[in-house]
Amino acid sequence: MFNIIIELRVLNYSSTEKLIQTVDKYPNMNLIVKYVDEDYQRLLNNKYITAVNFPIKDAVKIFGSYDKLRGKKKLKTEIQNIIGFEDDHLDSCEGIENFLVFTYHLLKTNKNLVVSTVGLSYESINHYIKIMELILTKLSDRTLYVIKNFSAIDELVLTDLYIHINTVEKETVFDFMKNWLIGFKTKDEYFIYPEYFGKVEFETGDYFEMLSFILSGPNRDYGFHFHNRNNPQNPKAMILIRNNSLYLGIGVTPNYEKHFIERLLKEYHKTPIVCHGVLPY
């Protein structure tokens, strides 16, 4: 038997020992879901917990590391034997495959993991949680903390609208910030490049400093995410840089989808890409 714990109040304790004692006291708490707005920093600082996929130097990186992982076929077979059915996501060649197989690989040798779901679509995050629930019923003495990349703003119900621009131009980015990001705050508190894997080239706690670094050279893929709870019609925004092109995005409530499509079309003279829980590329 297992439970998904939406909020673990004991994480407010400052003592590492109290955290570990709590995990030991509640052996059925195999999978614990937290959100980006909650205080999960203590998990990252805890020497008994392995951080995975976070943009910090000491975290294990899924993207890049998965490509080098040996024995993927055997690991996939083990997962399917545990869950009892064939899961097409295990051979999807997408982020969800990397997450499922690599997390299972890590859980075989690490008792406690905290995993950031950045890089997955909302549907993939939910599928990942369901599969990991099943896996954890068969792995004794293991705990997985899943940090969902959306929280108080219910991003599952939002429609994402993106304007794709074939070149990365500072002026275009700054105009988007001036016209669309007033009142928005960045979701992340710390930024590291490369974002998910590779040797660290640049890191900072200043969002604008990282943005300036990314814009100062070619071939620097990065994603910046913003939210504004005081703007219910359009509570989130995105600046995605990929393959030397720009994706300028906003997340809007369904009732205002048509309104914002018309606004973007008028400003950029092109029809925005409409996405529901997936990336635009």
Side-chain angles (χ1 to χ4, degrees):
M1 195 69 180
F2 51 85
N3 299 307
I4 298 180
I5 309 300
I6 297 302
E7 185 171 9
L8 185 59
R9 293 293 183 182
V10 74
L11 294 182
N12 292 325
Y13 293 1
S14 59
S15 168
T16 296
E17 288 73 23
K18 288 185 178 180
L19 174 61
I20 301 305
Q21 287 171 8
T22 301
V23 174
D24 292 340
K25 183 178 178 182
Y26 299 99
N28 291 331
M29 290 165 55
N30 303 102
L31 192 150
I32 300 166
V33 178
K34 292 181 69 66
Y35 296 91
V36 291
D37 285 348
E38 295 183 43
D39 181 11
Y40 59 83
Q41 187 62 42
R42 290 178 178 81
L43 295 172
L44 301 184
N45 295 337
N46 193 312
K47 65 180 180 180
Y48 296 103
I49 300 176
T50 302
V52 183
N53 204 45
F54 287 89
I56 58 176
K57 187 174 183 179
D58 295 332
V60 177
K61 306 302 189 294
I62 291 179
F63 296 105
S65 298
Y66 177 73
D67 297 333
K68 302 173 184 176
L69 180 63
R70 296 182 180 181
K72 296 186 185 71
K73 185 176 181 180
K74 181 182 177 182
L75 291 169
K76 293 177 185 179
T77 300
E78 290 178 10
I79 291 173
Q80 296 196 139
N81 288 338
I82 290 174
I83 64 179
F85 61 89
E86 292 188 7
D87 184 4
D88 293 339
H89 294 82
L90 292 173
D91 290 304
S92 65
C93 298
E94 297 178 355
I96 183 64
E97 174 187 332
N98 300 27
F99 269 75
L100 289 172
V101 180
F102 202 72
T103 300
Y104 173 68
H105 162 72
L106 291 175
L107 279 171
K108 295 180 73 173
T109 55
N110 294 265
K111 292 182 64 175
N112 303 294
L113 300 181
V114 53
V115 178
S116 169
T117 56
V118 171
L120 291 183
S121 68
Y122 306 137
E123 288 82 359
S124 292
I125 292 173
N126 291 333
H127 182 80
Y128 172 72
I129 289 173
K130 290 176 182 178
I131 296 300
M132 295 316 300
E133 288 175 1
L134 297 175
I135 289 174
L136 284 163
T137 62
K138 301 298 183 180
L139 294 178
S140 61
D141 196 25
R142 295 291 186 271
T143 302
L144 174 65
Y145 302 87
V146 177
I147 310 301
K148 273 192 172 184
N149 194 36
F150 52 94
S151 54
I153 299 170
D154 187 1
E155 298 188 17
L156 281 171
V157 303
L158 298 181
T159 299
D160 294 338
L161 307 175
Y162 290 92
I163 294 296
H164 179 224
I165 299 172
N166 288 323
T167 58
V168 179
E169 300 173 346
K170 294 180 182 179
E171 294 78 10
T172 303
V173 174
F174 294 154
D175 283 344
F176 177 74
M177 294 168 61
K178 180 177 67 176
N179 296 331
W180 293 89
L181 297 188
I182 299 299
F184 280 77
K185 297 180 180 179
T186 60
K187 284 188 175 182
D188 297 316
E189 296 180 357
Y190 196 77
F191 306 87
I192 191 166
Y193 178 84
E195 194 166 13
Y196 300 122
F197 63 90
K199 184 178 179 181
V200 176
E201 296 181 31
F202 188 74
E203 55 185 315
T204 178
D206 185 325
Y207 139 69
F208 193 76
E209 189 175 29
M210 177 57 79
L211 177 62
S212 298
F213 170 78
I214 297 298
L215 294 176
S216 66
N219 303 312
R220 292 175 177 169
D221 292 353
Y222 211 86
F224 296 94
H225 301 268
F226 310 86
H227 62 161
N228 183 355
R229 292 189 187 83
N230 297 319
N231 189 356
Q233 299 171 7
N234 164 211
K236 77 167 185 175
M238 301 75 70
I239 298 175
L240 309 180
I241 299 172
R242 187 172 179 85
N243 296 329
N244 292 312
S245 66
L246 278 173
Y247 294 86
L248 305 175
I250 58 174
V252 303
T253 54
N255 291 341
Y256 287 87
E257 182 178 327
K258 183 174 183 294
H259 166 74
F260 282 104
I261 287 176
E262 291 175 351
R263 276 191 60 188
L264 289 167
L265 178 61
K266 182 178 180 180
E267 180 168 340
Y268 291 97
H269 306 292
K270 58 173 64 179
T271 303
I273 303 168
V274 180
C275 299
H276 295 92
V278 297
L279 294 170
Y281 40 76

Short mmCIF file of all heavy atoms in Angstrom, two decimals, residues 164-207:
data_model
loop_
_atom_site.label_atom_id
_atom_site.label_comp_id
_atom_site.label_asym_id
_atom_site.label_seq_id
_atom_site.Cartn_x
_atom_site.Cartn_y
_atom_site.Cartn_z
N HIS A 164 6.79 31.74 -32.68
CA HIS A 164 8.11 31.22 -33.06
C HIS A 164 8.80 32.22 -33.98
O HIS A 164 8.23 32.67 -34.97
CB HIS A 164 7.96 29.88 -33.77
CG HIS A 164 9.28 29.31 -34.21
ND1 HIS A 164 9.47 28.75 -35.44
CD2 HIS A 164 10.47 29.23 -33.55
CE1 HIS A 164 10.73 28.34 -35.54
NE2 HIS A 164 11.35 28.62 -34.41
N ILE A 165 10.03 32.55 -33.62
CA ILE A 165 10.84 33.49 -34.41
C ILE A 165 12.14 32.81 -34.76
O ILE A 165 12.83 32.25 -33.90
CB ILE A 165 11.08 34.79 -33.62
CG1 ILE A 165 9.73 35.45 -33.31
CG2 ILE A 165 11.99 35.74 -34.39
CD1 ILE A 165 9.80 36.62 -32.37
N ASN A 166 12.50 32.83 -36.02
CA ASN A 166 13.60 32.02 -36.53
C ASN A 166 14.99 32.49 -36.10
O ASN A 166 15.97 31.78 -36.31
CB ASN A 166 13.56 31.96 -38.07
CG ASN A 166 12.41 31.10 -38.55
OD1 ASN A 166 12.09 30.08 -37.95
ND2 ASN A 166 11.77 31.52 -39.63
N THR A 167 15.08 33.66 -35.53
CA THR A 167 16.37 34.16 -35.06
C THR A 167 16.25 34.59 -33.60
O THR A 167 15.15 34.90 -33.13
CB THR A 167 16.85 35.37 -35.91
OG1 THR A 167 15.85 36.40 -35.84
CG2 THR A 167 17.08 34.95 -37.35
N VAL A 168 17.38 34.62 -32.92
CA VAL A 168 17.40 35.06 -31.52
C VAL A 168 17.88 36.50 -31.49
O VAL A 168 19.06 36.77 -31.72
CB VAL A 168 18.33 34.17 -30.67
CG1 VAL A 168 18.36 34.66 -29.23
CG2 VAL A 168 17.87 32.71 -30.72
N GLU A 169 16.97 37.42 -31.27
CA GLU A 169 17.30 38.85 -31.28
C GLU A 169 16.99 39.45 -29.91
O GLU A 169 15.88 39.29 -29.37
CB GLU A 169 16.48 39.56 -32.35
CG GLU A 169 16.74 39.04 -33.76
CD GLU A 169 15.80 39.64 -34.78
OE1 GLU A 169 14.78 40.26 -34.36
OE2 GLU A 169 16.06 39.51 -35.98
N LYS A 170 17.97 40.15 -29.35
CA LYS A 170 17.79 40.77 -28.03
C LYS A 170 16.61 41.72 -28.01
O LYS A 170 15.82 41.74 -27.06
CB LYS A 170 19.07 41.52 -27.63
CG LYS A 170 20.28 40.64 -27.41
CD LYS A 170 21.48 41.49 -27.01
CE LYS A 170 22.71 40.64 -26.81
NZ LYS A 170 23.91 41.45 -26.45
N GLU A 171 16.49 42.52 -29.06
CA GLU A 171 15.43 43.52 -29.09
C GLU A 171 14.05 42.87 -29.02
O GLU A 171 13.14 43.36 -28.35
CB GLU A 171 15.54 44.37 -30.37
CG GLU A 171 16.78 45.25 -30.44
CD GLU A 171 18.03 44.46 -30.83
OE1 GLU A 171 17.90 43.27 -31.21
OE2 GLU A 171 19.13 45.03 -30.74
N THR A 172 13.90 41.74 -29.71
CA THR A 172 12.62 41.03 -29.71
C THR A 172 12.30 40.49 -28.32
O THR A 172 11.16 40.59 -27.86
CB THR A 172 12.65 39.87 -30.72
OG1 THR A 172 12.97 40.39 -32.02
CG2 THR A 172 11.31 39.16 -30.79
N VAL A 173 13.31 39.93 -27.67
CA VAL A 173 13.12 39.41 -26.32
C VAL A 173 12.76 40.53 -25.35
O VAL A 173 11.82 40.41 -24.55
CB VAL A 173 14.39 38.68 -25.83
CG1 VAL A 173 14.24 38.28 -24.36
CG2 VAL A 173 14.66 37.45 -26.68
N PHE A 174 13.47 41.65 -25.42
CA PHE A 174 13.24 42.75 -24.50
C PHE A 174 11.86 43.40 -24.74
O PHE A 174 11.20 43.83 -23.80
CB PHE A 174 14.34 43.79 -24.62
CG PHE A 174 15.69 43.28 -24.17
CD1 PHE A 174 16.87 43.82 -24.67
CD2 PHE A 174 15.79 42.27 -23.24
CE1 PHE A 174 18.10 43.35 -24.26
CE2 PHE A 174 17.01 41.79 -22.81
CZ PHE A 174 18.17 42.34 -23.32
N ASP A 175 11.44 43.46 -26.01
CA ASP A 175 10.10 43.99 -26.30
C ASP A 175 9.03 43.08 -25.72
O ASP A 175 8.01 43.55 -25.19
CB ASP A 175 9.90 44.11 -27.82
CG ASP A 175 10.61 45.33 -28.40
OD1 ASP A 175 10.98 46.23 -27.62
OD2 ASP A 175 10.80 45.38 -29.63
N PHE A 176 9.25 41.76 -25.82
CA PHE A 176 8.30 40.80 -25.24
C PHE A 176 8.21 40.98 -23.73
O PHE A 176 7.12 40.96 -23.14
CB PHE A 176 8.73 39.38 -25.59
CG PHE A 176 7.86 38.30 -24.98
CD1 PHE A 176 6.60 38.04 -25.48
CD2 PHE A 176 8.31 37.55 -23.90
CE1 PHE A 176 5.80 37.03 -24.93
CE2 PHE A 176 7.53 36.56 -23.34
CZ PHE A 176 6.27 36.30 -23.85
N MET A 177 9.38 41.15 -23.09
CA MET A 177 9.40 41.37 -21.64
C MET A 177 8.65 42.64 -21.26
O MET A 177 7.88 42.66 -20.29
CB MET A 177 10.85 41.44 -21.16
CG MET A 177 11.62 40.12 -21.30
SD MET A 177 13.40 40.31 -21.07
CE MET A 177 13.46 40.93 -19.39
N LYS A 178 8.86 43.70 -22.03
CA LYS A 178 8.23 44.99 -21.73
C LYS A 178 6.73 44.95 -21.94
O LYS A 178 5.96 45.53 -21.17
CB LYS A 178 8.86 46.08 -22.61
CG LYS A 178 8.29 47.47 -22.38
CD LYS A 178 9.01 48.49 -23.25
CE LYS A 178 8.71 48.25 -24.73
NZ LYS A 178 9.31 49.30 -25.59
N ASN A 179 6.29 44.22 -22.98
CA ASN A 179 4.87 44.23 -23.34
C ASN A 179 4.05 43.14 -22.67
O ASN A 179 2.83 43.28 -22.53
CB ASN A 179 4.73 44.10 -24.87
CG ASN A 179 5.33 45.28 -25.61
OD1 ASN A 179 5.36 46.39 -25.09
ND2 ASN A 179 5.82 45.04 -26.82
N TRP A 180 4.73 42.03 -22.25
CA TRP A 180 3.98 40.88 -21.77
C TRP A 180 4.35 40.41 -20.36
O TRP A 180 3.61 39.63 -19.75
CB TRP A 180 4.14 39.70 -22.73
CG TRP A 180 3.52 39.94 -24.06
CD1 TRP A 180 4.10 40.52 -25.15
CD2 TRP A 180 2.17 39.63 -24.44
NE1 TRP A 180 3.21 40.58 -26.19
CE2 TRP A 180 2.02 40.04 -25.79
CE3 TRP A 180 1.09 39.04 -23.79
CZ2 TRP A 180 0.83 39.88 -26.48
CZ3 TRP A 180 -0.10 38.88 -24.49
CH2 TRP A 180 -0.23 39.29 -25.81
N LEU A 181 5.50 40.83 -19.83
CA LEU A 181 5.97 40.28 -18.56
C LEU A 181 5.92 41.25 -17.38
O LEU A 181 6.47 40.94 -16.33
CB LEU A 181 7.40 39.76 -18.72
CG LEU A 181 7.62 38.62 -19.71
CD1 LEU A 181 9.04 38.09 -19.61
CD2 LEU A 181 6.62 37.49 -19.47
N ILE A 182 5.27 42.38 -17.55
CA ILE A 182 5.13 43.31 -16.43
C ILE A 182 4.32 42.64 -15.31
O ILE A 182 3.21 42.15 -15.54
CB ILE A 182 4.45 44.62 -16.86
CG1 ILE A 182 5.27 45.32 -17.95
CG2 ILE A 182 4.25 45.53 -15.66
CD1 ILE A 182 6.66 45.70 -17.51
N GLY A 183 4.88 42.58 -14.10
CA GLY A 183 4.20 41.95 -12.98
C GLY A 183 4.50 40.47 -12.82
O GLY A 183 4.08 39.86 -11.83
N PHE A 184 5.23 39.89 -13.77
CA PHE A 184 5.58 38.47 -13.69
C PHE A 184 6.88 38.28 -12.91
O PHE A 184 7.75 39.15 -12.89
CB PHE A 184 5.75 37.88 -15.09
CG PHE A 184 4.45 37.55 -15.78
CD1 PHE A 184 3.67 38.55 -16.34
CD2 PHE A 184 4.01 36.25 -15.84
CE1 PHE A 184 2.47 38.26 -16.96
CE2 PHE A 184 2.81 35.93 -16.47
CZ PHE A 184 2.04 36.94 -17.03
N LYS A 185 7.00 37.11 -12.28
CA LYS A 185 8.22 36.73 -11.57
C LYS A 185 8.74 35.42 -12.14
O LYS A 185 7.97 34.58 -12.60
CB LYS A 185 7.94 36.56 -10.07
CG LYS A 185 7.49 37.84 -9.38
CD LYS A 185 7.24 37.58 -7.90
CE LYS A 185 6.79 38.85 -7.20
NZ LYS A 185 6.52 38.62 -5.75
N THR A 186 10.05 35.24 -12.10
CA THR A 186 10.62 33.99 -12.57
C THR A 186 10.30 32.87 -11.59
O THR A 186 10.26 33.07 -10.38
CB THR A 186 12.15 34.08 -12.74
OG1 THR A 186 12.74 34.40 -11.48
CG2 THR A 186 12.52 35.11 -13.77
N LYS A 187 10.07 31.67 -12.12
CA LYS A 187 9.78 30.52 -11.27
C LYS A 187 11.04 30.02 -10.57
O LYS A 187 10.98 29.51 -9.46
CB LYS A 187 9.17 29.39 -12.09
CG LYS A 187 7.72 29.61 -12.47
CD LYS A 187 7.16 28.36 -13.12
CE LYS A 187 5.68 28.50 -13.39
NZ LYS A 187 5.11 27.28 -13.99
N ASP A 188 12.17 30.12 -11.25
CA ASP A 188 13.42 29.59 -10.71
C ASP A 188 14.13 30.64 -9.85
O ASP A 188 14.01 31.84 -10.10
CB ASP A 188 14.35 29.15 -11.83
CG ASP A 188 13.76 28.01 -12.66
OD1 ASP A 188 13.22 27.08 -12.04
OD2 ASP A 188 13.82 28.08 -13.90
N GLU A 189 14.86 30.16 -8.88
CA GLU A 189 15.65 31.04 -8.02
C GLU A 189 17.14 30.98 -8.34
O GLU A 189 17.91 31.83 -7.92
CB GLU A 189 15.43 30.66 -6.55
CG GLU A 189 14.00 30.86 -6.08
CD GLU A 189 13.81 30.48 -4.64
OE1 GLU A 189 14.80 30.00 -4.03
OE2 GLU A 189 12.70 30.64 -4.11
N TYR A 190 17.54 29.95 -9.08
CA TYR A 190 18.95 29.79 -9.43
C TYR A 190 19.04 29.26 -10.85
O TYR A 190 18.20 28.46 -11.28
CB TYR A 190 19.64 28.82 -8.46
CG TYR A 190 21.14 28.90 -8.50
CD1 TYR A 190 21.80 29.95 -7.86
CD2 TYR A 190 21.90 27.97 -9.19
CE1 TYR A 190 23.18 30.05 -7.91
CE2 TYR A 190 23.27 28.06 -9.24
CZ TYR A 190 23.91 29.10 -8.59
OH TYR A 190 25.27 29.21 -8.64
N PHE A 191 20.04 29.71 -11.58
CA PHE A 191 20.15 29.38 -13.00
C PHE A 191 21.55 28.85 -13.29
O PHE A 191 22.55 29.37 -12.79
CB PHE A 191 19.87 30.62 -13.85
CG PHE A 191 18.56 31.28 -13.54
CD1 PHE A 191 18.47 32.23 -12.53
CD2 PHE A 191 17.41 30.92 -14.22
CE1 PHE A 191 17.25 32.82 -12.22
CE2 PHE A 191 16.19 31.51 -13.91
CZ PHE A 191 16.12 32.46 -12.91
N ILE A 192 21.61 27.80 -14.10
CA ILE A 192 22.88 27.18 -14.43
C ILE A 192 22.87 26.80 -15.91
O ILE A 192 21.85 26.36 -16.44
CB ILE A 192 23.14 25.95 -13.53
CG1 ILE A 192 24.57 25.46 -13.67
CG2 ILE A 192 22.15 24.85 -13.80
CD1 ILE A 192 24.97 24.47 -12.58
N TYR A 193 23.99 27.02 -16.58
CA TYR A 193 24.11 26.66 -17.99
C TYR A 193 25.32 25.76 -18.19
O TYR A 193 26.39 26.07 -17.65
CB TYR A 193 24.27 27.92 -18.87
CG TYR A 193 24.44 27.56 -20.34
CD1 TYR A 193 23.32 27.32 -21.13
CD2 TYR A 193 25.71 27.40 -20.89
CE1 TYR A 193 23.47 26.96 -22.46
CE2 TYR A 193 25.86 27.03 -22.22
CZ TYR A 193 24.75 26.82 -23.00
OH TYR A 193 24.89 26.45 -24.31
N PRO A 194 25.16 24.64 -18.92
CA PRO A 194 23.96 24.14 -19.59
C PRO A 194 22.85 23.81 -18.58
O PRO A 194 23.13 23.47 -17.44
CB PRO A 194 24.43 22.87 -20.30
CG PRO A 194 25.91 23.05 -20.45
CD PRO A 194 26.34 23.80 -19.23
N GLU A 195 21.62 23.89 -19.03
CA GLU A 195 20.49 23.86 -18.11
C GLU A 195 20.33 22.50 -17.43
O GLU A 195 20.02 22.43 -16.24
CB GLU A 195 19.20 24.21 -18.86
CG GLU A 195 18.04 24.53 -17.94
CD GLU A 195 16.90 25.19 -18.68
OE1 GLU A 195 16.89 25.19 -19.93
OE2 GLU A 195 16.01 25.73 -18.01
N TYR A 196 20.55 21.40 -18.15
CA TYR A 196 20.27 20.09 -17.57
C TYR A 196 21.46 19.15 -17.53
O TYR A 196 21.47 18.19 -16.77
CB TYR A 196 19.14 19.40 -18.35
CG TYR A 196 17.85 20.18 -18.33
CD1 TYR A 196 17.25 20.59 -19.51
CD2 TYR A 196 17.25 20.53 -17.14
CE1 TYR A 196 16.07 21.32 -19.50
CE2 TYR A 196 16.08 21.26 -17.10
CZ TYR A 196 15.48 21.64 -18.30
OH TYR A 196 14.33 22.37 -18.28
N PHE A 197 22.45 19.37 -18.36
CA PHE A 197 23.58 18.43 -18.37
C PHE A 197 24.80 19.12 -18.97
O PHE A 197 24.71 20.20 -19.53
CB PHE A 197 23.24 17.18 -19.19
CG PHE A 197 22.96 17.46 -20.65
CD1 PHE A 197 23.98 17.45 -21.58
CD2 PHE A 197 21.68 17.75 -21.08
CE1 PHE A 197 23.73 17.71 -22.92
CE2 PHE A 197 21.42 18.02 -22.42
CZ PHE A 197 22.45 17.98 -23.34
N GLY A 198 25.94 18.47 -18.82
CA GLY A 198 27.19 19.00 -19.37
C GLY A 198 27.99 19.76 -18.34
O GLY A 198 27.53 20.04 -17.24
N LYS A 199 29.21 20.08 -18.69
CA LYS A 199 30.09 20.83 -17.80
C LYS A 199 29.57 22.25 -17.60
O LYS A 199 29.21 22.94 -18.54
CB LYS A 199 31.50 20.89 -18.40
CG LYS A 199 32.52 21.56 -17.50
CD LYS A 199 33.91 21.54 -18.13
CE LYS A 199 34.92 22.24 -17.23
NZ LYS A 199 36.28 22.24 -17.84
N VAL A 200 29.52 22.68 -16.35
CA VAL A 200 28.96 23.99 -16.03
C VAL A 200 29.83 25.10 -16.64
O VAL A 200 31.03 25.17 -16.40
CB VAL A 200 28.86 24.19 -14.51
CG1 VAL A 200 28.37 25.60 -14.20
CG2 VAL A 200 27.92 23.16 -13.90
N GLU A 201 29.19 25.96 -17.42
CA GLU A 201 29.89 27.10 -18.02
C GLU A 201 29.56 28.41 -17.32
O GLU A 201 30.39 29.32 -17.27
CB GLU A 201 29.50 27.21 -19.51
CG GLU A 201 29.95 26.03 -20.36
CD GLU A 201 29.57 26.23 -21.82
OE1 GLU A 201 29.52 27.40 -22.26
OE2 GLU A 201 29.31 25.23 -22.50
N PHE A 202 28.33 28.48 -16.79
CA PHE A 202 27.91 29.74 -16.16
C PHE A 202 26.78 29.46 -15.19
O PHE A 202 25.90 28.65 -15.48
CB PHE A 202 27.44 30.71 -17.24
CG PHE A 202 27.16 32.11 -16.73
CD1 PHE A 202 28.19 32.96 -16.40
CD2 PHE A 202 25.85 32.56 -16.59
CE1 PHE A 202 27.94 34.24 -15.93
CE2 PHE A 202 25.58 33.83 -16.12
CZ PHE A 202 26.63 34.68 -15.78
N GLU A 203 26.82 30.09 -14.02
CA GLU A 203 25.73 29.94 -13.06
C GLU A 203 25.54 31.25 -12.31
O GLU A 203 26.48 32.02 -12.10
CB GLU A 203 26.01 28.80 -12.09
CG GLU A 203 27.31 28.86 -11.34
CD GLU A 203 27.55 27.62 -10.51
OE1 GLU A 203 26.61 27.16 -9.83
OE2 GLU A 203 28.67 27.09 -10.53
N THR A 204 24.29 31.51 -11.93
CA THR A 204 23.97 32.77 -11.27
C THR A 204 22.61 32.66 -10.58
O THR A 204 21.79 31.82 -10.95
CB THR A 204 23.92 33.92 -12.30
OG1 THR A 204 23.55 35.13 -11.64
CG2 THR A 204 22.91 33.65 -13.39
N GLY A 205 22.40 33.51 -9.59
CA GLY A 205 21.09 33.61 -8.96
C GLY A 205 20.28 34.76 -9.51
O GLY A 205 19.19 35.05 -9.04
N ASP A 206 20.80 35.40 -10.55
CA ASP A 206 20.15 36.56 -11.16
C ASP A 206 19.60 36.17 -12.53
O ASP A 206 20.35 35.86 -13.45
CB ASP A 206 21.17 37.70 -11.31
CG ASP A 206 20.56 38.99 -11.82
OD1 ASP A 206 19.64 38.92 -12.64
OD2 ASP A 206 21.03 40.07 -11.41
N TYR A 207 18.28 36.18 -12.66
CA TYR A 207 17.64 35.77 -13.91
C TYR A 207 18.11 36.61 -15.10
O TYR A 207 18.44 36.08 -16.17
CB TYR A 207 16.12 35.85 -13.76
CG TYR A 207 15.39 36.40 -14.96
CD1 TYR A 207 15.31 35.68 -16.15
CD2 TYR A 207 14.79 37.65 -14.90
CE1 TYR A 207 14.66 36.20 -17.25
CE2 TYR A 207 14.12 38.17 -15.99
CZ TYR A 207 14.07 37.44 -17.16
OH TYR A 207 13.42 37.96 -18.26
#
